[in-house]
Amino acid sequence: MSQKSNIDDVLTILGFGRWQIPIVLLTVLIHMYITINIVGSTLLSVPKPFRCFSTQETISNISSTTSTTTSQPLAATYDSVCEPTNQTEFPTSPPSALAHASGLPSCPVVEYDPSESPYTVITEFDLVCERAVLRPLFQISVAIGIPVGGLLGGVIGDKYGRKTVVIGGNLLSAAGVLALAACPWYLGVLMCRFLLGITFSLTLLPSYSLAQEVIPLRMRSQSGMLMGLGFSIGAVIMAGIGYLVRPWRYLLLAMSSYLFVIIPWACMVEESPRWLMQKGRQEEAAAALERAAYRNRVFMSSELITAIENLRTKRTEMEDAENRAEGEGVCASLSGLRQCFGQFRKYFRYPGLRLILLVSPVVWYLQSLLYMGILLNANNFTSNDPFLYVALSGVADTVAVFLGTPLTMKIGRCLLLTIFYSMSGVLLLLDIAIPTELRWLKWVFVMTAFLLSSAGWQAQFIYTPELYPTVMRSRGFGLCNAAGSLGTLTAPLITDLLGQQTWWSVNVVCGTAGLIAGLLMRCLPETRNLPMPETLQDVERRRRSHRETKAAKVVGELNVRSEEESPLDRG
């Protein structure tokens, strides 16, 4: 039997078992937790009907009236109009003890409908009338923090290890949650949300890289897609918690309780042997693989012993040069920043990696614009109940995961993503031509487009780490996630601004984004059943192999045609 020294070969012998399961479950738990950063604002900042009165004196003048009556204000009186009601005229009912001074010129005294969810971000900070423009910042602040965390997580993850970043990021997230729950100022709330957005990418991307780097090749598709179930399960659980716990600060703490499990769990999992190898720590990597064999109950055969011993002495190609290129810091100083730019210039000298660096971030931007554009508009096709809406989004994502998992094993990542994006875009464009009378058909088209875009989103979390080599996998993944965050930031502007001007503009923009993303996917290589690249040269070898395979296919087709035409030529 041939000598084996590649980590993928060793992982194939080790199989999938008790060593990898804790790492996969850690990623699922992190995915469940960060759900609150993506769709949690739907429950934390639920809009509420309100009504306005002129001055606080209004309440004082009628306090005796409200104290002697048992009737409750009618819901119809909460018209959400920013014009004070005359203090001597109460068309339906006077203000109750819930009315309070807001400091708003158009609504000096505001009272919210008590039948709706109490104590949301909007009611606490009175984000109505003149302050309504500040309401979207609650979600945008997270979207701004996500690309920052993606870039930081990539650089720090490649330098200090995946496990270290996951632990540190979750500790930082816990501090951000506590500060957010106690902060009495809206500006401070936005700053805490920005910090949480950073920790979202700071923990999720390295955890995905860690999980993908320890899973055998034949199990990578199934486990990678199933890890996406964390988002779906988290959304459904969050809807249930939100229904039971209504005050937004208590709801935030309840939804963040995952951290009590995530942080100690992250301390117990193994560091990535691939990363240890790339850092020249072959002895630690070999010891980790030996522990993996023990936990997976794999017999230490001579083949496995030889493979692990080969890893102990193996020096990865270009390891020393690439380690020097990583530098000493995280681009914090001016010299470190110049070093980072010089490092990316070095990456662009490789044609295969250059194509990946140029195309994959654009695809992530377009897929985020497609996914979030549909998600922000989907409430028109489901329900105005925020708890039901969040639960439905989780169910839809679950269907998308089970749809995409078997297909990625049979069709391949690149072709499958092309189909998902293109079909989603086509369905959104066709939705424009459906008459409004056929609302059920419009609902089917939009929800099908959402399922396809969600399945594509899940598949990208498998495909993108397989594109980049180990020496820069976290940085490449972080770059793509940062580009995707820009799409997440752009989507609300399109749905709110363009959607108010022309109803079909959102369909056109998101549908076109899906079609362009599908076309760009054809520029990227297929990675199904291929080992993950370790070095920059591995990426170039994969590119040459891909081109040779395509050339051989074309030559084969030409030969078949010539053989079919040759009898006619002889005649």
Side-chain angles (χ1 to χ4, degrees), residues 296-543:
N296 287 358
R297 298 179 180 179
V298 175
F299 176 69
M300 293 294 293
S301 62
S302 58
E303 178 187 17
L304 180 58
I305 294 174
T306 302
I308 294 177
E309 289 301 322
N310 289 336
L311 290 177
R312 275 194 167 92
T313 58
K314 181 180 178 181
R315 300 294 296 178
T316 309
E317 297 173 358
M318 301 178 65
E319 175 187 299
D320 295 332
E322 287 167 350
N323 284 339
R324 286 195 301 270
E326 290 186 21
E328 298 296 332
V330 190
C331 306
S333 63
L334 182 61
S335 60
L337 187 61
R338 286 197 301 266
Q339 188 177 21
C340 282
F341 281 114
Q343 185 176 350
F344 271 94
R345 283 200 303 269
K346 182 194 72 170
Y347 293 152
F348 270 82
R349 291 200 298 264
Y350 295 85
L353 189 57
R354 179 171 62 240
L355 180 64
I356 293 172
L357 286 170
L358 290 175
V359 175
S360 58
V362 178
V363 172
W364 270 74
Y365 171 80
L366 294 173
Q367 77 157 4
S368 298
L369 179 60
L370 171 66
Y371 179 84
M372 293 303 299
I374 300 175
L375 185 62
L376 294 177
N377 256 11
N379 198 33
N380 297 326
F381 299 92
T382 54
S383 172
N384 291 323
D385 184 346
F387 308 105
L388 179 60
Y389 169 66
V390 171
L392 286 176
S393 66
V395 173
D397 272 336
T398 303
V399 175
V401 169
F402 285 105
L403 171 68
T405 300
L407 292 177
T408 53
M409 295 183 290
K410 296 182 179 180
I411 300 178
R413 288 85 152 112
C414 191
L415 178 59
L416 186 65
L417 287 168
T418 301
I419 295 173
F420 282 161
Y421 295 147
S422 301
M423 289 184 62
S424 183
V426 169
L427 288 173
L428 288 178
L429 294 176
L430 291 177
D431 176 69
I432 300 175
I434 300 176
T436 55
E437 293 79 11
L438 299 176
R439 191 170 183 82
W440 65 270
L441 186 58
K442 296 176 71 70
W443 187 92
V444 170
F445 270 53
V446 172
M447 286 296 99
T448 304
F450 176 72
L451 286 176
L452 292 172
S453 64
S454 180
W457 186 290
Q458 299 291 347
Q460 275 288 4
F461 275 89
I462 304 173
Y463 179 65
T464 302
E466 294 176 341
L467 287 176
Y468 290 95
T470 302
V471 293
M472 61 164 300
R473 182 166 295 121
S474 289
R475 277 168 288 180
F477 204 2
L479 176 65
C480 291
N481 188 262
S485 301
L486 295 179
T488 303
L489 188 61
T490 307
L493 302 178
I494 293 175
T495 56
D496 292 341
L497 299 181
L498 290 182
Q500 292 177 0
Q501 302 298 323
T502 50
W503 66 269
W504 46 264
S505 58
V506 178
N507 293 60
V508 171
V509 173
C510 295
T512 304
L515 293 177
I516 297 175
L519 292 175
L520 289 178
M521 283 302 304
R522 304 309 298 163
C523 301
L524 296 174
E526 180 56 65
T527 61
R528 184 171 69 100
N529 295 331
L530 294 177
M532 298 182 78
E534 303 288 346
T535 66
L536 305 181
Q537 290 184 347
D538 289 342
V539 177
E540 296 308 305
R541 279 193 287 267
R542 182 180 61 190
R543 181 183 70 90

Side-chain angles (χ1 to χ4, degrees), residues 91-105:
T92 54
S93 62
S96 69
L98 297 176
H100 61 275
S102 65
L104 295 168

Side-chain angles (χ1 to χ4, degrees), residues 102 208 223 229 235 248 278 365 436 531:
S102 65
Y208 252 98
S223 59
L229 282 176
W248 76 272
Q278 202 59 50
Y365 171 80
T436 55

